[in-house]
């Protein structure tokens, strides 16, 4: 058996070295880097624009927008438009959310939704119900209760949700509700 310390042994130029370069080493066990606030904002803007380009023409064709401005839209019509928005969001993003933890905006921004503890993809229920549909009771409240006081309070909740991104862990209220966080997609 050859002793590795024996200098008289022939050198195998194809043998692996003991040297590991820190420049090219990527620790696959390291937690993913949190998504930047700017990339999350960009993803929300992209998703919002996509929704607007689909929903707004439908509202114009059905005369919903003009009637809503004059208060002539029934509660049922408002509820139907809200459900339509949820369905359109699912059509656009459902597959990506289930398979990759991404909406179209998050895909474009190179970020994804993962479990806050395990960094694994989370279930569709946790993504869609807890991250996106948690606002549904607030939406229903604005439809049912007349006046604007409830609208101001609900908008305050949404503002707090958005401003929570400035915490050290960059988790908004909807992230805390779902037990999720948004991270950069790791290049493999």
């Amino acid at each position: 058996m050859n002793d590795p310390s024996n200098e008289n042994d022939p050198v195998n130029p194809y043998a692996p070295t003991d040297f590991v370069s820190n420049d090219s080493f990527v620790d696959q066990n390291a937690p993913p880097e949190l998504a930047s606030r700017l990339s999350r904002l960009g993803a929300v803007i992209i998703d919002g624009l996509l929704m607007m380009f689909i929903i707004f023409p439908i509202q114009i064709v059905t005369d919903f927008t003009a009637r809503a401005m004059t208060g002539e839209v029934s509660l049922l019509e408002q509820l139907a438009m809200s459900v339509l928005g949820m369905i359109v969001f699912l059509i656009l993003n459902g597959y990506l959310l289930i398979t990759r933890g991404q909406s179209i905006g998050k895909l474009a921004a190179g970020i994804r939704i993962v479990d806050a503890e395990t960094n694994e993809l989370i279930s569709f229920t946790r993504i869609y119900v807890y991250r996106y549909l948690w606002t549904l009771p607030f939406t229903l409240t604005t439809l049912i209760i007349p006046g604007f006081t409830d609208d101001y309070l609900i908008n305050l909740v949404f503002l707090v949700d958005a401003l929570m991104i400035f915490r050290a862990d960059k988790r908004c209220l909807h992230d805390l509700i779902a037990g999720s966080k948004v991270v950069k997609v790791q290049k493999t």
Side-chain angles (χ1 to χ4, degrees):
M1 180 176 221
N2 291 342
D3 181 8
S5 63
N6 187 353
E7 293 180 19
N8 294 332
D9 287 340
V11 176
N12 179 354
Y14 303 107
T17 65
D18 292 334
F19 175 75
V20 177
S21 169
N22 289 333
D23 296 336
S24 63
F25 180 73
V26 176
D27 184 2
Q28 294 298 327
N29 296 323
E33 184 180 347
L34 290 174
S36 71
R37 293 173 183 98
L38 191 58
S39 66
R40 289 186 70 173
L41 176 62
V44 167
I45 289 171
I46 290 169
D47 288 337
L49 288 172
L50 287 172
M51 291 292 294
M52 184 184 73
F53 286 130
I54 294 171
I55 298 294
F56 194 60
I58 293 170
Q59 290 178 337
I60 290 174
V61 167
T62 61
D63 202 33
F64 181 88
T65 305
R67 291 182 299 115
M69 294 174 117
T70 60
E72 298 173 15
V73 178
S74 71
L75 175 63
L76 186 58
E77 287 177 292
Q78 292 177 47
L79 187 59
M81 197 56 70
S82 295
V83 170
L84 176 65
M86 290 181 245
I87 292 169
V88 168
F89 183 84
L90 270 178
I91 290 169
L92 290 175
N93 299 299
Y95 179 77
L96 284 172
L97 286 170
I98 291 168
T99 60
R100 300 173 65 140
Q102 296 174 301
S103 63
I104 293 172
K106 284 180 174 54
L107 178 67
I111 58 179
R112 77 176 54 202
I113 304 163
V114 297
D115 183 274
E117 299 296 321
T118 66
N119 297 313
E120 300 293 324
L121 290 179
I122 60 177
S123 71
F124 177 73
T125 301
R126 281 180 57 198
I127 287 179
Y128 190 64
V129 174
Y130 297 132
R131 280 185 59 91
Y132 295 106
L133 291 188
W134 73 275
T135 62
L136 189 57
F138 297 110
T139 303
L140 294 175
T141 302
T142 62
L143 296 177
I144 296 169
I145 299 175
F148 294 106
T149 304
D150 60 323
D151 297 354
Y152 297 134
L153 293 174
I154 290 165
N155 285 329
L156 180 62
V157 171
F158 294 153
L159 178 63
V160 168
D161 174 45
L163 290 176
M164 286 179 74
I165 199 166
F166 293 104
R167 297 165 13 126
D169 65 1
K170 299 179 185 176
R171 292 175 70 200
C172 296
L173 180 58
H174 59 268
D175 290 309
L176 297 175
I177 291 169
S180 63
K181 64 183 177 182
V182 181
V183 298
K184 289 183 179 179
V185 174
Q186 292 180 326
K187 305 285 190 249
T188 55

